[in-house]
Amino acid sequence: MMQVEKTNELATRKISSLLFSLAIPAIIAMLVSMLYNMVDRIYIGNMPDGTIGMAGLAVAVPIVTLIQGFTQLFGVGGAPLAAIRLGKQEKKEAEEIMMASFTSLVVSGVILTVIIELFKEPILLLFGADEASLQPAIEYIQIYALGTVCVQIAQGMNAYINTQGFAKMGMFTILIGAVLNIVLDPIFIFGMGMGITGAAVATIISQGVSAVWVMYFLLKKSPMKMRREYLLPKFRTLSSIMMLGISPFVMSATEGLLQISFNNQMSLYGGSMAVGSMAILLSLYQMVLLPLTGITQGAQPILSYNFGAEDYGRVRAAFRLSFTVCLIYSFTVAGGIMLCAPVFARIFSGDADTIRYAAWAIRIYLFGGTVFGAQIACQQSFMALGQAKRSICMALLRKVVLLIPLIYILPWVLGDSGMAQAMAAPVLELAKDGGRTFCVLLAEPIADILAATVTSLTFLHFYKTNLRK
C-alpha cells in the first residue's frame, strides 16, 4: 500500500509541491550535515594547535572523499536504475539492483579499510602532508578508516530510501549521524582530551548509528525488500550499476585528486597557513554544494520514475524547476559568503593572520560558485535519466579537463604578472609567493564558469532531442 501511494505521487502529484516535499527533507539533512562538517573543523581549528590540526585534516580529507566515492559508485549508481525499474513496474529487478549495491558496498568497504590502515603514511605524504601536518593526519585517518563499512552502508544505501520517495526517512539517516557527531565532538576532543583523534572517533560512532538506522528501514519498512537470494550480484546487474555510478564516483575521486593538487600547490607557494585555509574554503563551498545536492536528490525520483514511465512532460517540468532553484540558490549563497568573507573566516579561527588570509582567499575561490547551480542541476539530471556517458563526460570536464590542469598551469603562466601581484597585495607578507598563490585559487572560478556553461548547453541539446515525445 505504501509503495502504491508513493508511486501514484511520483506519477500524478503537482511537480512543484512534489519536488519541494522531496527536496526539503534532503536539504535539511544536507544543512545539518554541513553544520556537522563546519563544527568539526571549528572545534579542530580552536584547539591549542588548531592551525596544524586544520592542515592535518585538509591532508586527510582526500582519503575521506575517496571512501565516499565508493558510496556513490555502488549506492547512487544503483538507486536511479531501481527507480526506473519501479516506474516500469518491475519490482523484483529493482530489489536485485538494491542487493547488488549492498554487497558491493560492504566488500569495497572492507578492502578500503585494509589498504588505508596498511599504507596510510605514504598515502598522506603523497597527498601533501609535510612534517608538521603528517602526525595529526595519521591520528585522524587511522581511526576514521575503521568505520569505512559503516560509512558505505549509511551513505550508499540511504540512496535507496530516497529513490523510493521516502525523503523524510532519508533525512533522518543524515540527521541522526550529524546531530550525534555534533554532540560527541566536544566530548571526545576536549572533554576526554583526545584532540583530532576524538573527532574521528565521534565520526565513526555516528556513522555506525546511521548505518543501523538505514538497515532497519530497508529490512523492516521499505516496500523494496532486501532478499537473500540476490546477495551474490549478477555481473550484468553490477556492471549496469557501475556504468551509471562511475560518474558520481569520478566526481568524488577527482574531488580527492583536486584536494591533493590544491594542498600541494598551496603548500608550495603559501605554506601551512595556506593549506589550513583550504579546509576553511572547502567547508564554505559545502554551504553552496550540499543544499544543491539536496535539491537534485528531491528531483531524482521524479525524473527517474517518469522517464521510466515515458511521461516526458513531467520530466521536463521537474528539470526546469530544479535548474531554476539551483541557480538562484548558488548565486545568492556564494555571493553572500563573498560579501561577508571575514565573518565566515572568523568562525573557523581565532588567529588574526589566518582570518585575513582566509577572507582574501574566499572572495577568489567562491566567485565561480555563483553559477555552480547550473552545473549540478544538469549533471545530476543526466544521472537521474540513466545517461551514464554524458554524465561522466560532464563530471570529468570541470575537474580533470579544466580545474586540475589550471591549478598547475596558471601559477606558471601568470604568477609573475602585475595582475597576480596586485591581487595578492593584501596577503603578500603571509605567503611564500602571493602571486602564484592567487593563481592557484583563480583556477577554481575559471573552471566553474566554463564547466557550468558547457554542461548547460549539453543538457539543453539532450532536452530538445530526447524529451519531446
Short mmCIF file of all heavy atoms in Angstrom, two decimals, residues 41 54-70 112 116 120 122-129 133 137 140-141 144 249-264 275 278-279 282 286 399 404:
data_model
loop_
_atom_site.label_atom_id
_atom_site.label_comp_id
_atom_site.label_asym_id
_atom_site.label_seq_id
_atom_site.Cartn_x
_atom_site.Cartn_y
_atom_site.Cartn_z
N ARG A 41 35.34 21.16 12.03
CA ARG A 41 36.51 21.97 11.71
C ARG A 41 36.69 23.13 12.69
O ARG A 41 37.81 23.54 12.99
CB ARG A 41 36.41 22.47 10.27
CG ARG A 41 36.61 21.35 9.24
CD ARG A 41 36.32 21.83 7.83
NE ARG A 41 36.75 20.84 6.84
CZ ARG A 41 36.02 19.85 6.40
NH1 ARG A 41 34.79 19.70 6.86
NH2 ARG A 41 36.47 19.00 5.50
N MET A 54 44.14 21.80 11.49
CA MET A 54 43.38 22.05 10.27
C MET A 54 44.16 21.59 9.04
O MET A 54 43.59 21.05 8.09
CB MET A 54 43.05 23.54 10.17
CG MET A 54 41.99 24.00 11.15
SD MET A 54 40.33 23.41 10.73
CE MET A 54 39.88 24.57 9.45
N ALA A 55 45.48 21.82 9.06
CA ALA A 55 46.31 21.37 7.95
C ALA A 55 46.30 19.85 7.85
O ALA A 55 46.22 19.28 6.76
CB ALA A 55 47.75 21.88 8.11
N GLY A 56 46.39 19.16 9.02
CA GLY A 56 46.32 17.70 9.03
C GLY A 56 45.00 17.19 8.52
O GLY A 56 44.95 16.21 7.75
N LEU A 57 43.92 17.85 8.92
CA LEU A 57 42.59 17.46 8.43
C LEU A 57 42.48 17.67 6.93
O LEU A 57 41.92 16.82 6.21
CB LEU A 57 41.52 18.27 9.16
CG LEU A 57 40.06 17.94 8.80
CD1 LEU A 57 39.73 16.50 9.18
CD2 LEU A 57 39.11 18.90 9.49
N ALA A 58 43.01 18.78 6.43
CA ALA A 58 42.96 19.06 4.99
C ALA A 58 43.67 17.97 4.20
O ALA A 58 43.23 17.58 3.11
CB ALA A 58 43.60 20.42 4.70
N VAL A 59 44.78 17.45 4.74
CA VAL A 59 45.52 16.39 4.07
C VAL A 59 44.75 15.08 4.10
O VAL A 59 44.80 14.28 3.15
CB VAL A 59 46.91 16.23 4.72
CG1 VAL A 59 47.63 15.01 4.16
CG2 VAL A 59 47.76 17.48 4.50
N ALA A 60 44.00 14.83 5.17
CA ALA A 60 43.24 13.59 5.31
C ALA A 60 41.95 13.58 4.51
O ALA A 60 41.43 12.51 4.16
CB ALA A 60 42.93 13.32 6.79
N VAL A 61 41.43 14.76 4.21
CA VAL A 61 40.14 14.87 3.52
C VAL A 61 40.08 14.12 2.19
O VAL A 61 39.06 13.49 1.88
CB VAL A 61 39.75 16.35 3.34
CG1 VAL A 61 38.67 16.53 2.28
CG2 VAL A 61 39.25 16.92 4.66
N PRO A 62 41.14 14.13 1.35
CA PRO A 62 41.05 13.36 0.10
C PRO A 62 40.77 11.87 0.29
O PRO A 62 40.09 11.26 -0.53
CB PRO A 62 42.43 13.59 -0.55
CG PRO A 62 42.88 14.90 -0.02
CD PRO A 62 42.37 14.94 1.39
N ILE A 63 41.30 11.29 1.38
CA ILE A 63 41.01 9.87 1.64
C ILE A 63 39.54 9.70 2.00
O ILE A 63 38.87 8.76 1.54
CB ILE A 63 41.91 9.33 2.78
CG1 ILE A 63 43.38 9.45 2.37
CG2 ILE A 63 41.55 7.89 3.12
CD1 ILE A 63 44.36 8.97 3.43
N VAL A 64 39.02 10.60 2.82
CA VAL A 64 37.60 10.56 3.18
C VAL A 64 36.75 10.70 1.92
O VAL A 64 35.75 9.98 1.75
CB VAL A 64 37.28 11.70 4.18
CG1 VAL A 64 35.78 11.75 4.47
CG2 VAL A 64 38.07 11.51 5.47
N THR A 65 37.14 11.59 1.04
CA THR A 65 36.40 11.81 -0.20
C THR A 65 36.43 10.56 -1.08
O THR A 65 35.42 10.22 -1.71
CB THR A 65 37.00 13.00 -0.97
OG1 THR A 65 36.99 14.16 -0.12
CG2 THR A 65 36.19 13.30 -2.21
N LEU A 66 37.57 9.89 -1.12
CA LEU A 66 37.67 8.66 -1.92
C LEU A 66 36.73 7.58 -1.37
O LEU A 66 36.05 6.89 -2.14
CB LEU A 66 39.11 8.15 -1.92
CG LEU A 66 39.36 6.86 -2.70
CD1 LEU A 66 39.04 7.06 -4.17
CD2 LEU A 66 40.80 6.40 -2.52
N ILE A 67 36.69 7.44 -0.05
CA ILE A 67 35.77 6.47 0.56
C ILE A 67 34.33 6.80 0.16
O ILE A 67 33.55 5.91 -0.22
CB ILE A 67 35.93 6.50 2.09
CG1 ILE A 67 37.28 5.91 2.50
CG2 ILE A 67 34.79 5.72 2.77
CD1 ILE A 67 37.63 6.09 3.97
N GLN A 68 33.97 8.06 0.24
CA GLN A 68 32.61 8.46 -0.13
C GLN A 68 32.35 8.24 -1.62
O GLN A 68 31.21 8.02 -2.03
CB GLN A 68 32.40 9.93 0.25
CG GLN A 68 32.41 10.16 1.75
CD GLN A 68 32.38 11.62 2.14
OE1 GLN A 68 32.63 12.51 1.32
NE2 GLN A 68 32.07 11.90 3.39
N GLY A 69 33.42 8.26 -2.42
CA GLY A 69 33.26 7.99 -3.84
C GLY A 69 32.70 6.61 -4.10
O GLY A 69 31.90 6.42 -5.03
N PHE A 70 33.10 5.63 -3.29
CA PHE A 70 32.58 4.27 -3.49
C PHE A 70 31.12 4.16 -3.07
O PHE A 70 30.39 3.32 -3.59
CB PHE A 70 33.46 3.27 -2.73
CG PHE A 70 34.73 2.94 -3.45
CD1 PHE A 70 35.88 3.68 -3.24
CD2 PHE A 70 34.78 1.89 -4.36
CE1 PHE A 70 37.06 3.39 -3.92
CE2 PHE A 70 35.94 1.59 -5.05
CZ PHE A 70 37.09 2.34 -4.83
N LEU A 112 38.95 -1.21 1.35
CA LEU A 112 39.47 0.13 1.60
C LEU A 112 40.05 0.26 2.99
O LEU A 112 41.11 0.89 3.19
CB LEU A 112 38.36 1.17 1.40
CG LEU A 112 37.96 1.47 -0.05
CD1 LEU A 112 36.69 2.30 -0.08
CD2 LEU A 112 39.09 2.19 -0.77
N ILE A 116 43.98 1.38 3.59
CA ILE A 116 44.28 2.63 4.30
C ILE A 116 45.10 2.37 5.55
O ILE A 116 46.08 3.08 5.84
CB ILE A 116 42.98 3.38 4.64
CG1 ILE A 116 42.30 3.86 3.36
CG2 ILE A 116 43.27 4.58 5.55
CD1 ILE A 116 40.89 4.37 3.56
N LYS A 120 48.72 4.13 5.19
CA LYS A 120 48.26 5.48 5.48
C LYS A 120 49.36 6.53 5.40
O LYS A 120 49.15 7.63 4.86
CB LYS A 120 47.59 5.54 6.85
CG LYS A 120 48.40 5.00 8.02
CD LYS A 120 47.57 5.04 9.29
CE LYS A 120 48.32 4.37 10.45
NZ LYS A 120 48.44 2.91 10.27
N PRO A 122 52.46 6.65 3.65
CA PRO A 122 52.86 7.05 2.30
C PRO A 122 51.73 7.71 1.51
O PRO A 122 51.98 8.61 0.70
CB PRO A 122 53.29 5.73 1.64
CG PRO A 122 52.74 4.65 2.49
CD PRO A 122 52.66 5.20 3.87
N ILE A 123 50.48 7.29 1.76
CA ILE A 123 49.35 7.92 1.08
C ILE A 123 49.23 9.39 1.48
O ILE A 123 49.08 10.28 0.64
CB ILE A 123 48.03 7.17 1.38
CG1 ILE A 123 48.04 5.79 0.73
CG2 ILE A 123 46.83 7.98 0.86
CD1 ILE A 123 46.86 4.92 1.11
N LEU A 124 49.35 9.66 2.78
CA LEU A 124 49.22 11.03 3.27
C LEU A 124 50.37 11.91 2.78
O LEU A 124 50.18 13.09 2.46
CB LEU A 124 49.16 11.04 4.80
CG LEU A 124 47.85 10.48 5.39
CD1 LEU A 124 48.00 10.25 6.89
CD2 LEU A 124 46.69 11.43 5.11
N LEU A 125 51.57 11.36 2.71
CA LEU A 125 52.70 12.11 2.18
C LEU A 125 52.47 12.45 0.71
O LEU A 125 52.78 13.56 0.26
CB LEU A 125 54.00 11.31 2.35
CG LEU A 125 54.52 11.19 3.78
CD1 LEU A 125 55.67 10.18 3.85
CD2 LEU A 125 54.99 12.55 4.30
N LEU A 126 51.91 11.50 -0.01
CA LEU A 126 51.59 11.74 -1.42
C LEU A 126 50.53 12.81 -1.56
O LEU A 126 50.53 13.59 -2.52
CB LEU A 126 51.11 10.43 -2.06
CG LEU A 126 50.70 10.49 -3.54
CD1 LEU A 126 51.90 10.82 -4.42
CD2 LEU A 126 50.07 9.17 -3.97
N PHE A 127 49.62 12.88 -0.58
CA PHE A 127 48.51 13.81 -0.64
C PHE A 127 48.86 15.21 -0.13
O PHE A 127 47.97 16.05 0.03
CB PHE A 127 47.32 13.27 0.17
CG PHE A 127 46.61 12.12 -0.51
CD1 PHE A 127 47.07 11.60 -1.70
CD2 PHE A 127 45.47 11.57 0.06
CE1 PHE A 127 46.42 10.54 -2.32
CE2 PHE A 127 44.81 10.51 -0.55
CZ PHE A 127 45.29 9.99 -1.74
N GLY A 128 50.12 15.46 0.18
CA GLY A 128 50.53 16.82 0.53
C GLY A 128 50.90 17.04 1.97
O GLY A 128 51.11 18.18 2.39
N ALA A 129 50.99 15.98 2.78
CA ALA A 129 51.38 16.15 4.19
C ALA A 129 52.84 16.58 4.27
O ALA A 129 53.68 16.12 3.50
CB ALA A 129 51.17 14.85 4.96
N SER A 133 52.11 18.52 9.49
CA SER A 133 50.73 18.04 9.39
C SER A 133 50.60 16.52 9.33
O SER A 133 49.49 15.99 9.45
CB SER A 133 50.07 18.65 8.14
OG SER A 133 50.76 18.26 6.96
N ALA A 137 47.31 14.12 10.76
CA ALA A 137 46.59 13.46 9.68
C ALA A 137 46.51 11.95 9.92
O ALA A 137 45.47 11.32 9.71
CB ALA A 137 47.26 13.76 8.34
N TYR A 140 44.02 11.08 12.69
CA TYR A 140 42.62 11.16 12.27
C TYR A 140 42.23 10.00 11.38
O TYR A 140 41.24 9.30 11.63
CB TYR A 140 42.37 12.49 11.53
CG TYR A 140 40.94 12.69 11.12
CD1 TYR A 140 40.02 13.24 12.00
CD2 TYR A 140 40.48 12.30 9.85
CE1 TYR A 140 38.68 13.42 11.63
CE2 TYR A 140 39.16 12.47 9.48
CZ TYR A 140 38.27 13.02 10.37
OH TYR A 140 36.94 13.18 10.02
N ILE A 141 43.03 9.73 10.34
CA ILE A 141 42.59 8.78 9.32
C ILE A 141 42.67 7.34 9.79
O ILE A 141 41.90 6.49 9.33
CB ILE A 141 43.40 8.99 8.01
CG1 ILE A 141 42.58 8.50 6.80
CG2 ILE A 141 44.74 8.28 8.06
CD1 ILE A 141 41.30 9.25 6.57
N TYR A 144 39.32 6.94 11.48
CA TYR A 144 38.21 7.08 10.54
C TYR A 144 38.09 5.85 9.64
O TYR A 144 36.98 5.38 9.35
CB TYR A 144 38.42 8.33 9.68
CG TYR A 144 37.27 8.61 8.73
CD1 TYR A 144 36.23 9.45 9.10
CD2 TYR A 144 37.22 8.03 7.46
CE1 TYR A 144 35.17 9.70 8.24
CE2 TYR A 144 36.17 8.27 6.60
CZ TYR A 144 35.14 9.11 6.98
OH TYR A 144 34.09 9.34 6.14
N PHE A 249 31.17 8.63 -8.95
CA PHE A 249 32.44 8.14 -8.39
C PHE A 249 33.59 8.99 -8.89
O PHE A 249 34.48 9.40 -8.11
CB PHE A 249 32.67 6.69 -8.77
CG PHE A 249 34.03 6.17 -8.38
CD1 PHE A 249 34.29 5.80 -7.06
CD2 PHE A 249 35.06 6.07 -9.30
CE1 PHE A 249 35.55 5.34 -6.68
CE2 PHE A 249 36.31 5.61 -8.94
CZ PHE A 249 36.55 5.25 -7.62
N VAL A 250 33.59 9.26 -10.18
CA VAL A 250 34.65 10.10 -10.74
C VAL A 250 34.60 11.49 -10.12
O VAL A 250 35.64 12.09 -9.81
CB VAL A 250 34.51 10.18 -12.28
CG1 VAL A 250 35.39 11.29 -12.85
CG2 VAL A 250 34.89 8.85 -12.90
N MET A 251 33.40 11.99 -9.89
CA MET A 251 33.27 13.31 -9.25
C MET A 251 33.89 13.30 -7.86
O MET A 251 34.60 14.24 -7.48
CB MET A 251 31.80 13.71 -9.17
CG MET A 251 31.18 14.04 -10.51
SD MET A 251 29.47 14.58 -10.37
CE MET A 251 29.66 16.16 -9.57
N SER A 252 33.65 12.25 -7.09
CA SER A 252 34.22 12.16 -5.74
C SER A 252 35.71 11.86 -5.78
O SER A 252 36.50 12.48 -5.04
CB SER A 252 33.50 11.07 -4.93
OG SER A 252 32.20 11.45 -4.62
N ALA A 253 36.11 10.89 -6.62
CA ALA A 253 37.52 10.53 -6.70
C ALA A 253 38.36 11.70 -7.19
O ALA A 253 39.45 11.97 -6.67
CB ALA A 253 37.70 9.32 -7.60
N THR A 254 37.85 12.40 -8.21
CA THR A 254 38.58 13.55 -8.71
C THR A 254 38.54 14.71 -7.72
O THR A 254 39.43 15.57 -7.73
CB THR A 254 38.04 14.01 -10.07
OG1 THR A 254 36.62 14.20 -9.98
CG2 THR A 254 38.35 13.00 -11.14
N GLU A 255 37.50 14.73 -6.86
CA GLU A 255 37.49 15.72 -5.78
C GLU A 255 38.67 15.50 -4.85
O GLU A 255 39.34 16.44 -4.43
CB GLU A 255 36.18 15.64 -4.99
CG GLU A 255 36.01 16.71 -3.94
CD GLU A 255 35.84 18.09 -4.52
OE1 GLU A 255 35.33 18.21 -5.65
OE2 GLU A 255 36.23 19.06 -3.84
N GLY A 256 38.96 14.21 -4.57
CA GLY A 256 40.15 13.90 -3.78
C GLY A 256 41.43 14.31 -4.49
O GLY A 256 42.33 14.90 -3.88
N LEU A 257 41.50 13.99 -5.79
CA LEU A 257 42.67 14.39 -6.57
C LEU A 257 42.80 15.91 -6.63
O LEU A 257 43.91 16.46 -6.56
CB LEU A 257 42.55 13.82 -7.99
CG LEU A 257 43.71 14.09 -8.96
CD1 LEU A 257 45.01 13.53 -8.41
CD2 LEU A 257 43.41 13.51 -10.33
N LEU A 258 41.66 16.56 -6.71
CA LEU A 258 41.65 18.02 -6.73
C LEU A 258 42.18 18.59 -5.42
O LEU A 258 42.99 19.54 -5.40
CB LEU A 258 40.21 18.49 -6.97
CG LEU A 258 39.94 19.99 -6.92
CD1 LEU A 258 40.74 20.70 -7.99
CD2 LEU A 258 38.45 20.24 -7.10
N GLN A 259 41.74 18.03 -4.30
CA GLN A 259 42.20 18.49 -3.00
C GLN A 259 43.70 18.26 -2.83
O GLN A 259 44.40 19.10 -2.24
CB GLN A 259 41.41 17.79 -1.89
CG GLN A 259 39.96 18.24 -1.82
CD GLN A 259 39.06 17.23 -1.13
OE1 GLN A 259 39.50 16.18 -0.67
NE2 GLN A 259 37.78 17.55 -1.06
N ILE A 260 44.18 17.13 -3.35
CA ILE A 260 45.62 16.86 -3.31
C ILE A 260 46.37 17.93 -4.11
O ILE A 260 47.39 18.47 -3.65
CB ILE A 260 45.92 15.46 -3.89
CG1 ILE A 260 45.34 14.37 -3.00
CG2 ILE A 260 47.43 15.25 -4.02
CD1 ILE A 260 45.29 13.01 -3.67
N SER A 261 45.86 18.26 -5.28
CA SER A 261 46.51 19.27 -6.13
C SER A 261 46.52 20.63 -5.43
O SER A 261 47.56 21.32 -5.41
CB SER A 261 45.77 19.38 -7.46
OG SER A 261 45.78 18.15 -8.16
N PHE A 262 45.38 21.01 -4.85
CA PHE A 262 45.33 22.27 -4.12
C PHE A 262 46.30 22.25 -2.93
O PHE A 262 47.04 23.22 -2.70
CB PHE A 262 43.91 22.54 -3.61
CG PHE A 262 43.07 23.34 -4.55
CD1 PHE A 262 41.86 22.85 -5.02
CD2 PHE A 262 43.47 24.60 -4.97
CE1 PHE A 262 41.07 23.59 -5.89
CE2 PHE A 262 42.69 25.35 -5.84
CZ PHE A 262 41.49 24.84 -6.30
N ASN A 263 46.31 21.15 -2.17
CA ASN A 263 47.19 21.07 -1.00
C ASN A 263 48.65 21.20 -1.40
O ASN A 263 49.42 21.93 -0.76
CB ASN A 263 46.97 19.74 -0.26
CG ASN A 263 45.66 19.71 0.51
OD1 ASN A 263 45.08 20.75 0.80
ND2 ASN A 263 45.20 18.51 0.84
N ASN A 264 49.04 20.48 -2.44
CA ASN A 264 50.44 20.51 -2.87
C ASN A 264 50.85 21.90 -3.35
O ASN A 264 51.91 22.42 -2.98
CB ASN A 264 50.69 19.48 -3.98
CG ASN A 264 50.74 18.06 -3.45
OD1 ASN A 264 51.18 17.82 -2.33
ND2 ASN A 264 50.30 17.11 -4.24
N VAL A 275 47.52 25.93 3.42
CA VAL A 275 46.91 24.59 3.43
C VAL A 275 45.78 24.55 4.44
O VAL A 275 44.70 23.99 4.17
CB VAL A 275 47.97 23.52 3.76
CG1 VAL A 275 47.32 22.15 3.86
CG2 VAL A 275 49.06 23.50 2.69
N MET A 278 42.68 26.10 3.12
CA MET A 278 41.93 25.28 2.17
C MET A 278 40.81 24.51 2.87
O MET A 278 39.74 24.30 2.29
CB MET A 278 42.86 24.31 1.45
CG MET A 278 43.65 24.89 0.29
SD MET A 278 42.66 25.76 -0.94
CE MET A 278 41.49 24.50 -1.43
N ALA A 279 41.05 24.07 4.10
CA ALA A 279 39.99 23.38 4.85
C ALA A 279 38.81 24.31 5.08
O ALA A 279 37.65 23.88 5.04
CB ALA A 279 40.54 22.86 6.18
N LEU A 282 36.98 24.74 1.65
CA LEU A 282 36.18 23.55 1.33
C LEU A 282 34.91 23.50 2.16
O LEU A 282 33.84 23.11 1.67
CB LEU A 282 37.02 22.29 1.55
CG LEU A 282 38.20 22.09 0.58
CD1 LEU A 282 39.05 20.92 1.04
CD2 LEU A 282 37.71 21.87 -0.84
N GLN A 286 30.93 23.83 0.77
CA GLN A 286 29.87 22.89 1.09
C GLN A 286 28.55 23.61 1.36
O GLN A 286 27.48 23.04 1.14
CB GLN A 286 30.26 22.05 2.30
CG GLN A 286 31.29 20.98 2.00
CD GLN A 286 31.50 20.05 3.18
OE1 GLN A 286 31.40 20.45 4.34
NE2 GLN A 286 31.79 18.81 2.89
N LYS A 399 36.67 19.08 -13.39
CA LYS A 399 37.83 18.85 -12.54
C LYS A 399 39.06 18.37 -13.30
O LYS A 399 40.15 18.92 -13.13
CB LYS A 399 37.46 17.83 -11.45
CG LYS A 399 36.38 18.33 -10.50
CD LYS A 399 35.96 17.25 -9.53
CE LYS A 399 34.81 17.72 -8.66
NZ LYS A 399 34.30 16.64 -7.79
N ILE A 404 42.10 20.86 -12.53
CA ILE A 404 43.40 20.35 -12.09
C ILE A 404 44.54 20.87 -12.98
O ILE A 404 45.56 21.33 -12.47
CB ILE A 404 43.38 18.81 -12.01
CG1 ILE A 404 42.45 18.37 -10.87
CG2 ILE A 404 44.79 18.26 -11.79
CD1 ILE A 404 42.26 16.88 -10.75
#
